[in-house]
Amino acid sequence: MPASPSPEPQAGRLTLERLALDHRDADNRPFRLFEMPELTLQSGARLGVSGPSGCGKSSLLHLVAGLLRPSQGRVLWNSSVVSELAEAGRDRWRRETIGFVFQDFHLIPELDIAANIALPARFSAWRLGAAGQERAAALARRMGLPDPRRRAALLSRGEQQRVAIARALFARPALILADEPTASLDAAHAAGVADLLLEAAAESGATLICATHDPALLARFDRRVDLTQTVQRRAA
């Protein structure tokens, strides 16, 4: 069957229960990257995550998405304990719930802009329907990418960033995770991308969590977490 984006996200409450993540240093010595007390985000909440490089901002997003398992604590979506699901269950939940703006984009260079934006639909069907094609083209235009048939390999880093953001919004996810979404953009384009992320989340009622070094973007979030406040120390 042709694939079309879901008309509405499946609203949910995200809860992080005493979350912690352990890593090992270059000498294979264990240390605790961060700890976080209980945090609950109702549907539609906006959370900005700040802190210096290496403090665990990306890791926190990966924990929320089920790409990493916590060393301690749990991640819940409504009553479902996502962090305890088997890999197939976490993959399915992520596909149905999350739009992820990765810091490294993860575009396919051989595909054009529209095809990269519509990649989420390819995981559930072999052919993209007309509604999906139009949504991909509309998102490209909204992101300031007027030629949706241009190959990703020919794009600047800033253009790739905008394609990655449009792809995360394609399926109208209930939970949007953005890892440094304005890092490759100048001030004017960064403000435009921030507008799109916040507007898209508000329009669909999605929860938005954004890890960023950008103080202008961070200031636009009504809730903020500074991971600098979580002390890195050796794990017991």
Side-chain angles (χ1 to χ4, degrees):
M1 291 178 62
S4 297
S6 301
E8 294 181 0
Q10 296 298 312
R13 181 184 66 255
L14 178 69
T15 304
L16 309 181
E17 291 185 346
R18 302 179 185 84
L19 213 56
L21 184 66
D22 295 337
H23 274 329
R24 290 183 177 272
D25 63 19
D27 296 318
N28 203 36
R29 295 174 299 183
F31 70 95
R32 179 142 290 175
L33 182 61
F34 68 81
E35 295 177 338
M36 177 174 286
E38 184 163 321
L39 174 69
T40 298
L41 297 176
Q42 300 296 337
S43 181
R46 301 173 179 181
L47 177 70
V49 181
S50 63
S53 297
C55 71
K57 297 190 302 298
S58 296
S59 295
L60 176 60
L61 296 185
H62 287 197
L63 285 170
V64 171
L67 294 167
L68 290 175
R69 287 187 182 273
S71 304
Q72 175 182 301
R74 305 191 303 172
V75 176
L76 294 90
W77 183 253
N78 292 325
S79 60
S80 176
V81 185
V82 175
S83 54
E84 295 179 3
L85 294 175
E87 183 175 357
R90 284 181 282 127
D91 287 345
R92 182 170 56 254
W93 174 81
R94 187 165 47 247
R95 187 168 60 247
E96 295 171 350
T97 309
I98 289 178
F100 206 128
V101 184
F102 291 97
Q103 191 171 0
D104 294 325
F105 314 142
H106 297 306
L107 304 184
I108 299 178
E110 295 78 12
L111 296 182
D112 62 28
I113 289 172
N116 270 287
I117 291 173
L119 271 178
R122 302 293 184 184
F123 294 115
S124 57
W126 65 273
R127 184 164 62 90
L128 190 65
Q133 293 175 25
E134 174 52 34
R135 176 155 176 80
L139 279 168
R141 291 191 297 269
R142 191 173 181 184
M143 293 300 300
L145 300 163
D147 182 7
R149 297 305 172 193
R150 192 177 181 199
R151 287 176 55 230
L154 303 177
L155 302 178
S156 69
R157 187 168 177 83
E159 289 171 325
Q160 291 179 51
Q161 179 75 287
R162 283 178 271 159
V163 174
I165 292 168
R167 181 183 59 196
L169 300 175
F170 176 80
R172 299 182 177 90
L175 176 58
I176 301 168
L177 304 177
D179 193 358
E180 299 288 358
T182 62
S184 298
L185 306 176
D186 59 33
H189 283 114
V193 163
D195 288 341
L196 178 59
L197 275 173
L198 294 166
E199 289 169 7
E203 288 168 5
S204 64
T207 300
L208 173 61
I209 304 177
C210 181
T212 181
H213 283 98
D214 184 348
L217 176 57
L218 192 65
R220 301 183 65 173
F221 286 84
D222 48 8
R223 294 185 66 179
R224 293 182 286 274
V225 170
D226 183 357
L227 291 189
T228 307
Q229 305 302 318
T230 62
V231 179
Q232 299 188 30
R233 57 180 175 80
R234 290 187 186 282

